[in-house]
Each structure stands twice: as C-alpha cells, then as structure tokens.
Amino acid sequence: MHLDVQNLKSFYYRTQLGRAAQRAIRGQLLDLWPEAQGQTVIGFGFAVPLLRPYLAQSRRTIALMPGQQGVMAWPDGLPNIAVLSEETQWPLATGMADKLILMHGLETCENPGMLLDECWRVLGPGGRAIFIVPNRSGLWARRDRTPFGFGRPYSLGQLETQLLKHRFEPERHRAALFAPPSGRRFWLRTAAMWEGLGRRISAYMAGGVLLVEVSKQVYAPRRSGLRETVRTPLGVLEGITGAKPKPARRGPRSPVEESPGLARTGAGSPDFAAACAASKRRSLAERG
C-alpha cells in the first residue's frame, strides 16, 4: 500500500515528529556515508529528506518516485531532480548508480523481488545501496499515524535473506527512531537522548527502522566452450611426441582379421576352413 506523496511531504516537513524522524535517520545515513564526492546518488520511494546533504558534492542526484505514490518538485529553490517512474522499470541506464537509497519503497512495493532486481541492475560494480524499512519489532511499525506503519515491516534476518536471494551482500547495519512515535513535547525534546541510549542497549530490537547497507555481487561470466576445449585438447605436438598409443586387444584375432581377404569368401570354402585350422593350431601353441 503506497501513501500519497502529499501525506509524506506533510509528515516530514510540516510536523515536529516528522522532522525529528528525518534528523534521526539522516544522522545514521551520514554515519555510513559521510560523503559522495563525484558520485551518482539515486533515491527511490520518498528518499528526498535524506538526499539534501549530497546535492552539493555529488556528480548527479536523482529522486525517483513510484507512480502509485505520486511525485512532487524537489528541492525547493533549485532545479527539479524528482522523476516519476514505474516501480520495477526505472528510466536509468544499467550500472549508473554509485549509491542507492530506498526509503518508503521496498515495504510498500507489490513486487519486491522485481524491485530488488531493478536495484541490482541500476547499481554499478562496486556500488553500495542502503535499504531503510520499518522494524518488525519496533513501535513505529505498530502505529499507522506515521508512514512507517504502512506496508510490510521486516526483521533484520528477513531483510538480509531477501537481499541475498537477489545478489546483494549485506555489509553493515544501523537502527534509528528509538523514541516512541509520539508528538508530545517530552518525547520530542528527549529524542536525541533516546537515539544514543537505544543504540547502546538494543540496536535492532527497539529501533523503529532498520538501515541495511549492501554491496552488489558480480560473478565471473561462464564460457560454454571452455570445458569442451579442455576435454579435447588440440594435437599440436603430435608430430614431436609421437603417435598416440592404441588400445591393446583382449583376445586372439580371428581368421578374418588375420586375412581380410577371407571376408569376401564363403564359410564353406576350402581357404576359409584351412585358415580356421591354422588359427586354432596357433592358439594351442601359444597356450602350451
């Protein structure tokens, strides 16, 4: 289930709880990726609250938003970099992204497997991606007053298993949003304290969201003709090393093999009978 882009915009930019959540998640993201100098940064879902620190230093920044969610112009006061796209067919070249950020994209997608395959396609060799999803055991996934209360929440093991199936290698993990999802003044004022305390006590059980950094797995291509070439090597040195040995015979040769011309005569001819008698005498002499 996708939220409307206007609802997401109102939560993150017009409510104190949304701004506090934005600061907490962005702090963990910057701890993992402090810079993106000269790199291409792609965001999918509603990742625009996390992309602003990379606007000045990255080579290119693009914010993709799925059609079911809608799109808004972003950032304010600067040329627009937000693009409306299909969930599983991005208008980007293969291997284009150096860094990829997904927030409010995976847990609400109707085809998460196809979305992960598209992420793998767009991510370049050596690139990194961060998936931000609601924590299944956290408080934020149980309250539908925030965007993290919609879609499918994940545990750390569930998310890593799904990423491994789609050729991603988990590298590092973080959690955020340890304060309760409440707009009361006490919780908002002490949010920073709860963030620091939560990371020390239980980083993955109490956090409202999980951040998983992954790298792209690239396997060496297989050559179909290599194995056949090894099985039947070229006989380049046959003239130097000599002829290949012939297999030994297991028994005495028949009269027809000793005298190929007898194959053209009938079995009742005198020549055939004499050849058979001679072969029998030779065999008895070799055994004796």
Side-chain angles (χ1 to χ4, degrees), residues 255 258 262 270-284:
E258 292 181 353
L262 295 178
D271 294 339
F272 186 85
C276 289
S279 176
K280 185 176 182 179
R281 288 194 299 270
R282 190 180 302 105
S283 299
L284 293 175

Side-chain angles (χ1 to χ4, degrees), residues 4 19 21-22 33 37 42 48-49 67 74 99 107 128 138 141 146 156 170 275 282:
D4 188 82
R19 291 171 183 169
Q22 182 181 158
W33 293 349
Q37 189 67 39
I42 307 296
V48 289
W74 189 86
K99 284 181 167 59
E107 71 271 17
R128 296 293 179 101
T146 73
L156 182 61
R282 190 180 302 105

Side-chain angles (χ1 to χ4, degrees), residues 19 28 30 76 90 94 97 109 132 148 170 183 212 251 261 269:
R19 291 171 183 169
Q28 291 299 316
L30 292 177
D76 293 336
W90 298 354
T94 300
C109 180
I132 304 171
F148 295 103
V212 178
S269 63

Side-chain angles (χ1 to χ4, degrees), residues 137-157:
S137 59
L139 294 176
W140 288 69
R142 305 176 187 182
R143 299 288 299 274
D144 57 3
R145 62 178 299 175
T146 73
F148 295 103
F150 295 85
R152 297 177 303 274
Y154 289 86
S155 66
L156 182 61

Side-chain angles (χ1 to χ4, degrees), residues 164-183:
L164 285 170
K165 288 181 179 179
H166 294 273
R167 297 172 291 176
F168 288 106
E169 182 67 28
E171 301 290 345
R172 293 182 289 178
H173 316 286
R174 292 289 188 276
L177 303 184
F178 292 94
S182 173

Side-chain angles (χ1 to χ4, degrees), residues 188-248:
L188 294 175
R189 286 182 176 180
T190 58
M193 181 195 70
W194 290 111
E195 291 298 316
L197 184 62
R199 287 193 294 269
R200 295 187 185 96
I201 296 177
S202 178
Y204 307 123
M205 295 298 294
V209 297
L210 299 172
L211 295 85
V212 178
E213 181 190 20
V214 298
S215 59
K216 180 178 180 178
Q217 294 180 352
V218 180
Y219 299 101
R222 296 181 178 180
R223 299 180 181 178
S224 58
L226 181 59
R227 185 173 297 179
E228 283 299 320
T229 303
V230 174
R231 286 180 177 177
T232 57
L234 297 176
V236 178
L237 303 178
E238 287 184 358
I240 301 177
T241 59
K244 296 181 180 179
K246 296 181 180 180

Side-chain angles (χ1 to χ4, degrees), residues 1-4 66 68-69 87 104-105 108-110:
M1 177 181 179
H2 288 270
L3 289 175
D4 188 82
Q68 298 89 331
Q69 168 188 294
E87 275 188 321
H104 301 304
T108 57
C109 180
E110 298 177 357

